[in-house]
Amino acid sequence: MKTIKYFIAAAAIGLLTSSCANDLNTLPEGDISGEQLNNDSSTPEKILGGIYLDLRSNGAGGTTSHSDFGIMGIKAGADLMSNDVIQSTNQHLGMFYNYEATNASNLASEIVWTTFYARIFVINKLLDDLKKDSSTKNKAIAGQLLALRAYSYFYLIRFYANDYKDHQSEPGIPLVLTASNPSQGLPRSTVSEVYGQIKKDIEESVSLLDSYARPSRAQIDQRAAKAIAAEVFLATGDYIKAARYAEESKQGAALMTENEYTTTGFSNINNPEVIWGFHNTISTMSIGNYYASFFSMFDNTNEGYAGAAQIRKLIDKRLYEAIPETDYRKKVFNGSQSAQYTFNGKTKNYPAYVSWKFKDPSLFEGDYIYIRASSLYYTEAEALARQGRETEARQVLFDITSKRDKGYILSSKTGNELINEIILQKRIELWGEGYAWFDMKRLGTPLERIYPGTNHTFGRFNLTPDKFRFQIPNKEINNNPQIKQNE
C-alpha cells in the first residue's frame, strides 16, 4: 500500500531500534532502511526490538501529537469511547471521548491506522527474509512477528469495520501480507477474510513459540500468544477455543494482592499478573514518550497532563456505584465528594469519581502492561457460559472475584444474567485498560452518557453501536485508489 512505506532506524548494537517517520511516505534523514540492515547478522533481533519499542513510543502513529504513543495510547483512546471512562476537559485524547476520532480527517484515525500498518510492513519484510532461514532462533522470532501481526490486524479490524457477528461479508481492511510491493494499493478484504488471517497467524505463532523462553515480559512468548488468541476467538464466537486458550494462558499466573492492586501494581511489569508489557526506563523514555505517555494521561497523582494540567480521568458514576463496599477495587476511585489522597509523599485534593488506579512513583518511567492474566478469567468465563457450561463459568468468575471482594459469593445466575454479571465484573476489573469499548461493540451495547445524575463531561451524548466504526484516514483514501471509505 502506498501509504505503508516505513523503515526502521538503527539506534544501537543492542535490541532496540525505532522508526520515526513523521510523513507517511518519507524515510527520515539518517535512518537505515530494512534493505540496508540485511547484511547485519543481528538484524532480526534488532528489527524485532525496534517494533516492540515503536509500539510504546510517541510518534508510533506517524504524528507529533502527544496523544500518539502506541498501544497504550490506543487502548486509552478506545476506553474513552466507552460508557465507563470519562475525561474532564477536552484536551489530549479528548477526540476519542467526544467521538471526533471516528472521522477520516481527525488525527486519531490516522494514528490508529499508521501505528499498526507501519509495523505490519516491517513485520512482513522480516517474515519474508526469515523464510530463507528456519533456525531455532529465527523460528522464535517468526512466532513473535506473527503474533504481532495478528495483534495489529485485530485492533485495526475492530476500529475500521463493524463487529464480526452478522457482518462477516462486509468490507474489512486491506490485508498486506508481504513487503514485496509496498507501493501497490490493495482493496479491503472482507471482515471474515481478515479474521481468518488473524486466526491463522496467531495459531501458527502459538505453535512456533512452543519452546521459546523469552528474556523478559516485553517479548511475546507462547503464553502471551495464547492470550491474544483467546480474545480473537471470543470475538469470532469460537467459544471452545476462546475458553481453552484463556485457561492455558492464565495457568500458573498468580493474581495481584490488594496491596499491589491499590498501590503501584499497574506500573510494574513484575506484577505477577503481567502476560505481556514493556519495561520503561530513563533510556527508553528519552527515545520517545515522557509527557506523551500513558501515565502522563491517566495517572491523576503524577505531574503530567492528568495530574498537573488536571485533564482528569474519572470513572462513570453508575459503574462506581455498582462496585460493592467490600470490593477493594473500589479503593482506586474517589467517591461522590471531593477528597484528599496521598501518594508518593504528595497529598492533593481530587474531584469526585477521579481514578487513582494507575499510579507511577517515578516521572513517567512506569512500565506498560498490555495484557494481564485477570482479563483471561472473564474471557474464559464468558466463553464457558456461552457453551452452556455455566457451572464451570460461575467457578471461574468466583476464582477471581472472590480475591477482589471478600463479600462475593458463588453466583447462582444463569443465561443472560450470568453473562451480564461476567461483563460487569470485567468492566470493574479492567477499567482503563482498553477492553470496555470493544466489548460494547461486540455485544451491541449502546453508548449512554445522558442519564439522571450523569457525571459525563463534554462528551455527554448517546450513540447506537453502528456509530462505533472509524472512517479510514484521508491519507489512505487519497493515496490508494482501490480502497473505499466507510460511510
Side-chain angles (χ1 to χ4, degrees), residues 366-383:
D367 297 332
Y368 285 171
I369 299 174
Y370 300 147
I371 303 174
R372 287 196 294 130
S374 55
S375 68
L376 300 164
Y377 283 80
Y378 306 102
T379 298
E380 183 183 7
E382 182 184 345

Side-chain angles (χ1 to χ4, degrees), residues 7-9 18-23 26 28-29 31 54 58-59 62 119:
F7 299 90
I8 289 290
S18 67
S19 63
C20 52
N22 290 326
D23 182 87
T26 301
E29 183 178 358
D31 278 14
D54 281 353
N58 179 225
R119 267 80 257 172

Side-chain angles (χ1 to χ4, degrees), residues 281-293:
T281 63
I282 293 175
S283 175
T284 60
M285 295 306 285
S286 68
I287 291 170
N289 267 57
Y290 212 64
Y291 283 105
S293 65

